[in-house]
Amino acid sequence: MAGIRTVNGKLSGINPAVSCCRLRQVQSLLHEGGSSTPDGILCSLGIDSRYNEGCTELAKYLFYGLYGRTQLNLEHVLEEFPEEMLDDVILLIKAECVHLYCNPMNYCYLLPYVSHWRNLHLYCMTEAEYEDEEAAEEFKISSFVTMVQDCYHIGVPYSSQGHVQRFDMFMVEKWPLIQAFALEGIGGGSFFTVKYKLMDMSEKLLKVYSRLDPVSLGDVFTEDVVNFEKQWSAFFSSMDLESHLSILELSEAQAGETFRTYYSHGLISSNITDESKSQQPFVLFGRHSSREDLKGYSFNFPSESHQVRNTGCQGSTANHMILQCVAPKGPLACSRTYFFGTSHTPYLGNRNTAQNKTQVLLLSQIYSAAVQAVLSGIKCYSCTTCAAKAKDIAENTFLMALDSAGLSQYRSALRSKCEFNIQAVNKQGRIIPLTDEERRYVIKTASMTVHDIPDLQWDRGVLGSVVFSESFLESSINIQQKDGALSSDSCYTILTATVPRYACWLMESDIKQSEQAQHLAKKEEGTCLGTALTVADAAYVSSSSQLSTPEEGKIIFFSEGLLFIHSQYGSITLSKDHIRTIRFYHPDFGAVASLFVEYESNVFPHFPFPLHSSDQCLVFALQPRSISHKAFYSKVLSVWQNSESELNLQLVDEEHLTCNQKNMHVRLQRLHDSQEPPVAKRRGNLKTSCSQLPEQDMFLQHFALSSIGQEPIIYDHLGVLFPSAELRNSTSGLGEKVVVTIITGLPGSHKMSLFNSLVKLNKERGRLLLYKPDPDTFSASHLQQYLSSFLQSQRGPGGKTRLLVLTPGYTDVLDVVQSVLSHPDPVVRAGFTTGAVTACVDPLASCMEHRFTFPKLLEQCSQGIVSTVVFTGLTAEQKHPLMQHVQQMVRSANPTAAFILAEKGAVTRTEHVNLILSDSGFVEPQMLRARYILYPGWCEGRFASGSGSLVLSQRRVAFNRPLERPLFITRCQALKSSLRPSPFRGNIYNLWGKVRFSDSDQLMEVSYNTVSGSLNIVPDSSNVARLKPVPKETNASYFLVYDGVDLTEDGLKDWLRLCAKQRQMKKPKKTKNTLSPQEIKLIHITRHLDPLPAGYFYNGYQYVDIFGEKRSLHPNMEEFIQEYITKANKEIELFNRQWELQGEPDLFDP
């Protein structure tokens, strides 16, 4: 059992869409067919399975955050009940349904996960029942026996990812739960492995677990990415400790210690035993980064001899390093190229603007081209999912970037030396083929390595290699256009984007140049920047370059420019000679103030390379309430706005910013919101993902849809599914469409009474027509045929008509909705709109036994489909345990539904009527989003609702004779006491029909719910316009429809005969053996004084013979009996002849 995430004592982070999607992924293994496909997958937790790791892993997957391998944050749960109570779970997953055993203690923790599962069969006792320990244990065993009774092949998740074991069914036989199966009486009565064939499902389930969904992706962001960033933070912290002198003695082993320790220690604890290929960390300096060095590198044997001071060209100081960090038991990896020394010279008033072509600048330009290549390759792959196309795009981008940087002479030399690839990596960090079906839902790494870069300028041999890679995840959804054509929409997120793409450390010459620039602040006049107006204080600098991240430093404002001091870039000066325009954007005093400086191209030699951007714009961010922020308003703003100032300062609103400038400001604002006020140490920790990725929210919305499946999304719904787009009024454009209102509910839920209440209260809404199937079964084709004819009949003049569909019996309401929305005729489909769906629930008629509900109860309250739930029973007893239990279930299954209390469906309040007859309840944005993520394919009618393990069949019995009212009522009331426990065979739960009683000539409509005991007998009324499907051809005048389990027609007829006037039957003839003692006594009394045979006398009490023997009966008693039988049989024969001549018909005779 694992740590439980709690917020204020409650479980948090439960996503119904993910719970359902994960269940469907497991169930998909049961649809494959063939001998290797089991009938179900069994999962038992705790001591019942001897703490099997495979079962625990499946539970951890389905009940994410509840089960696992650690013992963190369990105090809240363990205070309530012992740990073994939480593990008291048995799960049997079948292709279309799920059986779940749990106890009343862990029920509340499991309910949020399973309440959205379709066709759930729940075995759970009430708190009172569970107090009997012996009864509770017997209930668990009998529940397990019932679960598996329809199976032959059963799959078991025997092994876990970190501990693969050889499957041994005899070890499974040792599980306490399996051994209990053999118990006589309450168990199955035989060995489990003899009766059922077991198979190991571990390998197939491991592939299911590796598939990313919003929850596992959230874990990647909150756990994997955070841990990954910590390693980079530790690397930067160790590097920042080096001075410009000590860094020369730094070796590759020392620089890579953080990455190496992280990777090797992680491998020890990962328990990964396969031999599949994986990436490894490395750190290499200067020339010691050639192709051969990379190929022969082993992270276990880093070099101590290769140092910064001796790995440059011809044994000189190295200009760069290449490094890669790899998560040991996760999918993340990224590589970077960082530099020793800067590529710029601070502007100090000199007019020489020529760029000094140093090796650092050259390598930076080539590295920048590689970065652009990788990012373009990622973008291409996310759109095409074709690695070959992405490779072509990346290589072409690399060569074009070289041309734009003025390095055309390197095209031919580097064309064959650049290597781009994309690798898919599973959750264990193992590389898997891109051709696998699972590739869409795993993280990938895109990388480019430019090997053995030659020194064409100074001809000093090979400079080494540069590398760049990112871990990314793409998302793609299919969109159905208005003309029916399908298109795709793709996006991606880079998970390692928070790792700085460019970093450098100052060498001795760089420090001297930086110090010269900083002396400008000490001069009172005569500087190229004018007079210093402020002292140095914290600020951020950034640009739109792909290499740039917000960097913290200190800013000093001058009368004719500014100076920015950075710990690694050194000093950056901006003079009025290089500034075109300054735009100051400050939305409010609680927000970041952004200073956008647009500069001339001749300033590039004086800027750090990562700040170079095509829009020639820098942004300096001043944190609210900081010294620099206050000083800018008090000392700088007035000077720069002065007419004599040569600086073009503009105070602008958001609409005057370019798109890049808006994005930069949002990025800086998010950085401010996600962190404490700036601290002195720049690299204390990396920025959080959300602050660095303003597009991440959109990606998560996109991925939430794409991870569910590839069913198309209707184009008109995009604006609702992605809230960043402007939403259209969902109720607009109804025009002349007919509004379809759907009311659903189990038999006995008083949904017909609710309709009658609506008819009485309905005002100013036009006519209200009812579609109520008869008999009580649902047919999608029949409903669609009716919609076609209905639309034809409404084409003429008349008021607005509303169609109300009353769903029958145990119908899944989603099937009804899909049949309306997916009508085969597009004209008819466009003529209707679904207004709202309402579910009627009577708590008294909801549970078959314990906590097991009638089939389709929760499905009839589905989130995204049902907007209102009307409770029609126990409305005056809201504290009743059954009422609270049912409301808890329904609220868990549909958190957004409105609850209405209406005893027996009697709605009285106008606002409740408005909810039920709403024109827009079904198309509300939150409802639409829920349908797409919970029921993929719903809009095209392709979502399969499935059926449960328990099927309540319907039997229609027709007859021609009236019933006796008292007998009928008595027989109905006796049904509840005759209900049998699981498997419920022969139980009658509902009956409905039209009958006539002998005390009246009026046709009556009757209905009875066995569980609630609700009996309704009302005159048949046809004053409400409704459609009745054509009944079966029969001459019968009356009928009853029964709902139950394994009902037989003969049994129902026998039950019904007892409700009618009892017809006299033929009398059987008497024999000596059939005479009762009373009859024999009567014969004796009548003839005891008849004459005696010779030798007998009667003493007044007994008969005595000549030998003195006494007897109580007359000596001729045998003759008297025979005479009595002969006389009685003559009377019986006469009665039977008269009975035959009378010919009274049976209840079912025509």
Side-chain angles (χ1 to χ4, degrees), residues 728-938:
R728 294 176 295 275
N729 187 348
S730 58
T731 60
S732 63
L734 291 181
E736 298 300 322
K737 290 186 177 183
V738 176
V739 178
V740 178
T741 297
I742 299 174
I743 296 180
T744 186
L746 298 177
S749 62
H750 306 285
K751 55 190 174 185
M752 191 64 206
S753 300
L754 175 64
F755 170 76
N756 293 331
S757 298
L758 294 175
V759 171
K760 294 177 181 178
L761 297 175
N762 181 49
K763 296 177 181 180
E764 300 178 358
R765 293 179 184 269
R767 290 185 300 162
L768 189 63
L769 300 185
L770 175 66
Y771 173 88
K772 182 180 183 295
D774 180 18
D776 208 20
T777 54
F778 174 70
S779 168
S781 60
H782 185 276
L783 174 58
Q784 291 173 345
Q785 291 173 8
Y786 171 68
L787 293 178
S788 299
S789 60
F790 180 90
L791 196 63
Q792 288 289 336
S793 65
Q794 298 300 313
R795 293 189 183 279
K800 183 179 179 182
T801 302
R802 178 184 298 269
L803 176 64
L804 194 147
V805 176
L806 208 63
T807 67
Y810 306 95
T811 303
D812 195 316
V813 68
L814 186 55
D815 291 338
V816 180
V817 170
Q818 288 189 121
S819 65
V820 174
L821 297 176
S822 60
H823 195 287
D825 188 339
V827 176
V828 177
R829 189 165 62 242
F832 290 91
T833 181
T834 305
V837 182
T838 299
C840 292
V841 176
D842 183 355
L844 294 172
S846 297
C847 296
M848 299 183 70
E849 67 171 1
H850 309 298
R851 295 180 190 264
F852 176 46
T853 62
F854 281 93
K856 299 297 182 180
L857 171 68
L858 293 182
E859 285 81 353
Q860 290 185 350
C861 302
S862 295
Q863 183 179 0
I865 304 294
V866 175
S867 56
T868 306
V869 178
V870 180
F871 290 94
T872 58
L874 291 177
T875 57
E877 303 177 63
Q878 296 189 44
K879 298 297 183 181
H880 192 285
L882 185 58
M883 181 67 158
Q884 292 182 329
H885 166 62
V886 174
Q887 283 195 338
Q888 181 190 24
M889 282 195 306
V890 175
R891 177 55 75 201
S892 180
N894 193 339
T896 62
F899 281 6
I900 294 176
L901 300 179
E903 187 67 29
K904 294 187 177 181
V907 177
T908 57
R909 302 178 64 177
T910 304
E911 54 266 34
H912 293 166
V913 175
N914 292 337
L915 280 175
I916 298 170
L917 298 181
S918 169
D919 290 345
S920 61
F922 186 75
V923 295
E924 291 293 332
Q926 65 177 3
M927 301 282 285
L928 187 63
R929 290 190 207 105
R931 287 197 292 276
Y932 270 109
I933 62 178
L934 289 172
Y935 323 114
W938 66 275

Side-chain angles (χ1 to χ4, degrees), residues 892-1139:
S892 180
N894 193 339
T896 62
F899 281 6
I900 294 176
L901 300 179
E903 187 67 29
K904 294 187 177 181
V907 177
T908 57
R909 302 178 64 177
T910 304
E911 54 266 34
H912 293 166
V913 175
N914 292 337
L915 280 175
I916 298 170
L917 298 181
S918 169
D919 290 345
S920 61
F922 186 75
V923 295
E924 291 293 332
Q926 65 177 3
M927 301 282 285
L928 187 63
R929 290 190 207 105
R931 287 197 292 276
Y932 270 109
I933 62 178
L934 289 172
Y935 323 114
W938 66 275
C939 55
E940 295 295 322
R942 288 198 291 263
F943 182 83
S945 60
S947 60
S949 58
L950 180 67
V951 178
L952 270 71
S953 59
Q954 290 186 335
R955 289 277 186 175
R956 178 187 172 101
V957 178
F959 54 96
N960 285 303
R961 297 290 180 264
L963 304 179
E964 296 297 317
R965 190 188 299 264
L967 291 176
F968 178 76
I969 294 175
T970 301
R971 293 295 296 166
C972 285
Q973 292 173 342
L975 285 175
K976 187 169 185 176
S977 61
S978 67
L979 292 178
R980 300 184 181 94
S982 178
F984 314 109
R985 292 189 179 94
N987 288 352
I988 298 174
Y989 289 103
N990 296 280
L991 58 86
W992 170 86
K994 295 181 180 181
V995 303
R996 187 171 67 83
F997 294 110
S998 59
D999 58 2
S1000 172
D1001 292 333
Q1002 191 172 9
L1003 186 65
M1004 310 296 287
E1005 186 170 324
V1006 300
S1007 63
Y1008 180 71
N1009 182 271
T1010 304
V1011 178
S1012 67
S1014 174
L1015 175 64
N1016 292 311
I1017 302 177
V1018 296
D1020 181 41
S1021 176
S1022 302
N1023 59 349
V1024 178
R1026 68 175 68 180
L1027 170 83
K1028 295 182 181 178
V1030 179
K1032 298 176 183 177
E1033 290 297 331
T1034 176
N1035 295 322
S1037 302
Y1038 319 117
F1039 70 90
L1040 283 176
V1041 178
Y1042 296 85
D1043 291 331
V1045 181
D1046 293 341
L1047 301 180
T1048 63
E1049 186 172 353
D1050 290 341
L1052 296 177
K1053 285 184 176 181
D1054 290 342
W1055 183 90
L1056 197 55
R1057 285 190 181 101
L1058 297 176
C1059 299
K1061 183 178 180 180
Q1062 300 302 301
R1063 179 189 179 191
Q1064 287 183 316
M1065 304 300 292
K1066 280 186 177 183
K1067 295 181 180 180
K1069 289 186 177 181
K1070 293 183 179 294
T1071 64
K1072 182 179 179 181
N1073 293 333
T1074 61
L1075 292 180
S1076 66
Q1078 290 80 5
E1079 288 179 298
I1080 294 176
K1081 184 178 181 181
L1082 179 62
I1083 295 172
H1084 172 71
I1085 293 174
T1086 304
R1087 308 200 51 182
H1088 74 286
L1089 297 179
D1090 282 15
L1092 295 171
Y1096 283 89
F1097 71 92
Y1098 182 61
N1099 62 11
Y1101 296 97
Q1102 293 176 316
Y1103 302 93
V1104 185
D1105 62 11
I1106 59 174
F1107 301 105
E1109 293 182 1
K1110 300 176 182 179
R1111 63 176 64 184
S1112 298
L1113 297 178
H1114 195 287
N1116 294 332
M1117 190 64 183
E1118 291 295 329
E1119 296 177 11
F1120 298 158
I1121 291 175
Q1122 190 61 42
E1123 291 174 2
Y1124 173 81
I1125 291 174
T1126 302
K1127 182 180 179 181
N1129 283 342
K1130 287 181 179 179
E1131 294 176 356
I1132 291 173
E1133 288 176 359
L1134 177 62
F1135 174 83
N1136 287 344
R1137 283 196 298 269
Q1138 293 175 346
W1139 184 90

Side-chain angles (χ1 to χ4, degrees), residues 210-212 274 276-279 326 330-333 378 381 385-387 420-447 470-474 495:
S210 65
R211 177 188 171 114
L212 279 176
D274 62 30
S276 57
K277 186 178 179 182
S278 63
Q279 304 173 85
V326 178
L332 299 180
I378 291 174
Y381 182 84
T385 65
C386 177
F420 175 84
N421 66 69
I422 295 179
Q423 295 176 326
V425 187
N426 64 18
K427 294 172 74 172
Q428 289 73 48
R430 307 292 100 178
I431 297 174
I432 62 175
L434 275 176
T435 54
D436 283 4
E437 293 182 4
E438 297 84 9
R439 71 185 187 280
R440 185 185 297 275
Y441 305 105
V442 298
I443 291 171
K444 300 162 191 68
T445 301
S447 65
E470 297 277 25
S471 291
F472 73 97
L473 179 66
E474 82 277 15
L495 303 171

Side-chain angles (χ1 to χ4, degrees), residues 36-91:
S36 62
T37 302
D39 301 314
I41 298 176
L42 175 66
C43 174
S44 177
L45 301 182
I47 189 62
D48 288 328
S49 64
R50 302 179 71 177
Y51 299 97
N52 178 265
E53 293 181 359
C55 291
T56 300
E57 189 167 37
L58 176 57
K60 183 180 178 182
Y61 176 72
L62 293 174
F63 309 118
Y64 46 89
L66 188 58
Y67 294 98
R69 286 183 282 181
T70 62
Q71 295 289 331
L72 303 176
N73 301 325
L74 283 174
E75 293 81 3
H76 168 70
V77 177
L78 296 181
E79 286 176 1
E80 297 183 1
F81 52 87
E83 179 181 338
E84 57 266 22
M85 287 292 184
L86 189 63
D87 288 339
D88 188 22
V89 172
I90 306 171
L91 192 66

Side-chain angles (χ1 to χ4, degrees), residues 30 34-42 92-94 148 150-156 192 195-199:
L30 304 176
S35 59
S36 62
T37 302
D39 301 314
I41 298 176
L42 175 66
L92 181 70
I93 301 173
K94 294 186 177 181
V148 299
D150 296 330
C151 297
Y152 176 67
H153 292 167
I154 296 179
V156 178
F192 190 81
K195 189 171 183 179
Y196 300 103
K197 180 180 178 180
L198 301 183
M199 57 187 66

Side-chain angles (χ1 to χ4, degrees), residues 656-719:
H656 295 99
L657 299 179
T658 66
C659 182
N660 278 343
Q661 291 171 349
K662 291 178 183 177
N663 290 337
M664 287 190 287
H665 176 80
V666 169
R667 195 179 194 185
L668 291 164
Q669 183 63 53
R670 290 199 177 196
L671 175 61
H672 168 73
D673 294 340
S674 65
Q675 293 185 326
E676 293 294 326
V679 292
K681 194 65 178 174
R682 165 182 174 269
R683 300 270 184 193
N685 60 304
L686 296 181
K687 285 73 177 174
T688 60
S689 296
C690 64
S691 66
Q692 288 292 91
L693 302 175
E695 74 283 357
Q696 191 181 103
D697 292 341
M698 177 61 74
F699 175 82
L700 292 177
Q701 295 172 24
H702 200 283
F703 186 72
L705 290 169
S706 68
S707 63
I708 300 300
Q710 291 303 301
E711 291 290 344
I713 294 172
I714 296 176
Y715 177 81
D716 289 340
H717 295 165
L718 291 177

